[in-house]
Amino acid sequence: MKHEDDQWEKEIRKGPFATSPFTEDHKRKVLQQVQRIRIASSKEEEMSEMSPVESSLERSNCLSNSLREYTDTDTNAVKDKVQVKDQAKDASKVDPGHQRHRKSRRGILVAGLSALVIAGGIFMWNWDEGQLAKPLIEQINPASALLFTDHLNVDILTDQMKKNVAMTMRDDLGKQLRITKVQDLPVSGRIYVEAGQEKGADYAQIWLDAKTGNLREVQMKAEMQPSKLEHRYMRQVSSLLESIGSAPTLKPILVRRFVNMNQGEILPIIRTTLALQNETSFGYIEWEQDKVTSVSGEINSDEVSQTALADAKESVAALSGKTNLNLESIHRTKDNKLGGEFFFFQFSQNYFVEMTEGKEGVGYTVRDVNNYESFIGDSKEMEAYHEKLYNMDETIIREKVGPIIKSIFNINLDAYKLHRKADALGMVTFELESANDIFEVEYKEDGRITMISRGKS
């Protein structure tokens, strides 16, 4: 959800107040005072229709309740209530005409300020996210937001179950999905709740403890527009893109969220992915809970090591046999969870180079992603094709890949032992066990090399 200053904030920052600091704490206190004024005004109007005795009793009860409500949470609020109580005791001594005049002025003030709390407090301000969110009725009774299809046995669900389902959808998934199934599982002591469509973008499975109503397991996913993403995420986008040298002009286009809680876990794990795009490029940002785990975006060639750029060009030339391939884009990914960085170079005619560096060491891959598949008419031809790939003569493979590896890495494969991968046709590895060094190689039935990747075994 986009965050914009309210009009009253804009006015405060003008004129004689322009040089005065106006913090979020100031704003919070202003809105609190406005809400108290509104409540006081509402009570005053009700008491104006009562008899003097009823009015006095009502004042006393309201003030006593207010004192109890704020004792443990807001000391300043208690002082305010005490002051109002003292004024109420002296009210009978004030001239009735003067009291009506004061009430009239206060009514005008309340009428003007009540607009600041959005339709008389129907919505509440979310201080952590900096945005208007969660209708008041949902705060008081979360289950009121639940959506059900017709003919469901909703009576299976206790009030606590409904509350937990509604809150985990609202707070964890960020979206209320329509519940399509409710089922009692007596053998496991659970209640099963299903929402959305299994093959759709929005889907939820929730298992509840039949006795307590607490969550036992959760599997949820949803897609939403960026305007629905919590502000605490959206406000980070520009600075995160800038931190990897990517253009902050990338615009949010889609949000995907996954929520998972397995048996024995206490809280669901929330993973959020924000896809970004502009006319020529793309990127993404990932969070786990509220912590950034990965940032990706396109960068300019001057944002990467020129040595790395030269190596990428030489690698593509060695694999393709072409020296005139243009560099089309460079993507950088910073993965905080894996503790590494990835640079992805895209060249014309579908050639790529990927360089990785992280806790697991250094990796390097050069790939030809052109389609070289031969036409295969039936199962016999498919079987013959697979047989040819698996039984490709080792000498042919070495003759094809050896010069490329020598050109890119300046390494001779003679000391490396070849291993075939039965579960990956058209792929072999060359391993030097003494140095813990390994090359992974993909090839076609004619011996064409389409991928070379180097890493640690």
Side-chain angles (χ1 to χ4, degrees), residues 410-433:
N410 195 28
I411 287 177
N412 192 313
L413 281 181
D414 291 347
Y416 287 72
K417 186 176 180 179
L418 183 144
H419 300 279
R420 298 183 188 273
K421 304 184 74 171
D423 58 343
L425 290 173
M427 182 176 290
V428 296
T429 59
F430 290 90
E431 184 175 4
L432 184 64
E433 296 181 358

Side-chain angles (χ1 to χ4, degrees), residues 143-162:
S144 65
L146 287 178
L147 306 171
F148 296 93
T149 56
D150 296 334
H151 311 300
L152 285 184
N153 188 8
V154 180
D155 293 340
I156 294 177
L157 300 175
T158 64
D159 290 343
Q160 184 63 34
M161 292 176 184
K162 292 178 182 178

Side-chain angles (χ1 to χ4, degrees), residues 110-156:
V110 171
L113 293 178
S114 61
L116 303 178
V117 292
I118 312 298
I122 295 177
F123 290 86
M124 297 185 70
W125 188 270
N126 188 323
W127 298 108
D128 292 332
E129 297 174 8
Q131 64 188 24
L132 282 171
K134 301 186 183 75
L136 181 57
I137 185 63
E138 289 186 32
Q139 289 285 81
I140 298 172
N141 180 22
S144 65
L146 287 178
L147 306 171
F148 296 93
T149 56
D150 296 334
H151 311 300
L152 285 184
N153 188 8
V154 180
D155 293 340
I156 294 177

Side-chain angles (χ1 to χ4, degrees), residues 9 38 73 76 85 89 102 119 153 183 192 217 242 256 259 264 272 292 324 364 370 441:
E9 287 186 66
R38 177 184 172 276
T73 59
N76 292 329
K85 184 177 181 180
K89 290 180 178 180
R102 183 178 59 186
N153 188 8
Q183 184 179 3
Y192 173 69
E217 290 187 56
E242 290 175 353
R256 289 189 175 92
V259 181
T272 304
V292 179
N324 59 345
Y364 195 100
N370 290 287
V441 176

Side-chain angles (χ1 to χ4, degrees), residues 95-258:
D95 176 73
H98 177 69
Q99 192 173 26
R100 285 194 300 271
H101 181 62
R102 183 178 59 186
K103 178 180 176 182
S104 175
R105 286 187 299 173
R106 183 169 59 187
I108 295 173
L109 176 62
V110 171
L113 293 178
S114 61
L116 303 178
V117 292
I118 312 298
I122 295 177
F123 290 86
M124 297 185 70
W125 188 270
N126 188 323
W127 298 108
D128 292 332
E129 297 174 8
Q131 64 188 24
L132 282 171
K134 301 186 183 75
L136 181 57
I137 185 63
E138 289 186 32
Q139 289 285 81
I140 298 172
N141 180 22
S144 65
L146 287 178
L147 306 171
F148 296 93
T149 56
D150 296 334
H151 311 300
L152 285 184
N153 188 8
V154 180
D155 293 340
I156 294 177
L157 300 175
T158 64
D159 290 343
Q160 184 63 34
M161 292 176 184
K162 292 178 182 178
K163 178 182 177 181
N164 286 335
V165 170
M167 290 182 67
T168 196
M169 284 191 185
R170 182 193 70 188
D171 298 338
D172 299 335
L173 190 63
K175 193 173 188 178
Q176 291 288 354
L177 307 184
R178 186 174 296 276
I179 295 173
T180 56
K181 186 176 183 179
V182 178
Q183 184 179 3
D184 188 2
L185 305 175
V187 175
S188 62
R190 300 182 181 188
I191 300 296
Y192 173 69
V193 177
E194 185 174 331
Q197 300 298 321
E198 183 175 3
K199 295 183 179 179
D202 301 336
Y203 184 59
Q205 294 177 292
I206 301 174
W207 291 264
L208 302 155
D209 189 289
K211 292 182 179 179
T212 65
N214 294 334
L215 299 176
R216 294 276 291 272
E217 290 187 56
V218 175
Q219 301 286 339
M220 299 190 294
K221 64 177 182 177
E223 287 186 0
M224 65 186 83
Q225 292 302 308
S227 60
K228 300 298 183 181
L229 182 62
E230 295 88 345
H231 181 65
R232 66 178 183 272
Y233 296 111
M234 290 298 294
R235 66 188 176 196
Q236 302 176 49
V237 172
S238 294
S239 60
L240 288 173
L241 290 174
E242 290 175 353
S243 72
I244 64 168
S246 184
T249 56
L250 288 173
K251 302 299 182 184
I253 58 170
L254 183 66
V255 179
R256 289 189 175 92
R257 179 165 285 169
F258 299 88

Side-chain angles (χ1 to χ4, degrees), residues 10-106:
K10 296 178 181 178
E11 293 298 324
I12 284 176
R13 301 180 195 278
K14 296 178 182 179
F17 306 101
T19 59
S20 300
F22 184 67
T23 66
E24 285 296 317
D25 188 57
H26 294 149
K27 176 178 176 178
R28 177 178 61 81
K29 291 178 179 178
V30 169
L31 289 178
Q32 285 177 340
Q33 291 300 322
V34 169
Q35 181 69 359
R36 290 169 188 162
I37 292 172
R38 177 184 172 276
I39 293 172
S41 175
S42 176
K43 291 296 182 181
E44 190 72 22
E45 291 176 3
E46 293 175 7
M47 288 186 288
S48 67
E49 299 176 0
M50 300 179 183
S51 66
V53 174
E54 290 173 329
S55 176
S56 178
L57 290 173
E58 183 65 15
R59 285 179 192 273
S60 178
N61 290 336
C62 287
L63 292 170
S64 297
N65 291 337
S66 296
L67 283 171
R68 286 194 296 270
E69 178 183 352
Y70 285 95
T71 296
D72 297 329
T73 59
D74 193 339
T75 304
N76 292 329
V78 172
K79 295 178 180 178
D80 292 342
K81 294 297 181 179
V82 171
Q83 184 178 4
V84 171
K85 184 177 181 180
D86 291 339
Q87 293 174 352
K89 290 180 178 180
D90 297 333
S92 59
K93 301 178 182 180
V94 179
D95 176 73
H98 177 69
Q99 192 173 26
R100 285 194 300 271
H101 181 62
R102 183 178 59 186
K103 178 180 176 182
S104 175
R105 286 187 299 173
R106 183 169 59 187

Side-chain angles (χ1 to χ4, degrees), residues 299-309 330 343 345 355:
I299 62 175
N300 296 323
S301 57
D302 57 0
E303 294 284 347
V304 68
S305 163
Q306 295 306 297
T307 300
L309 179 57
I330 307 173
F343 290 91
F345 302 83
M355 303 177 185

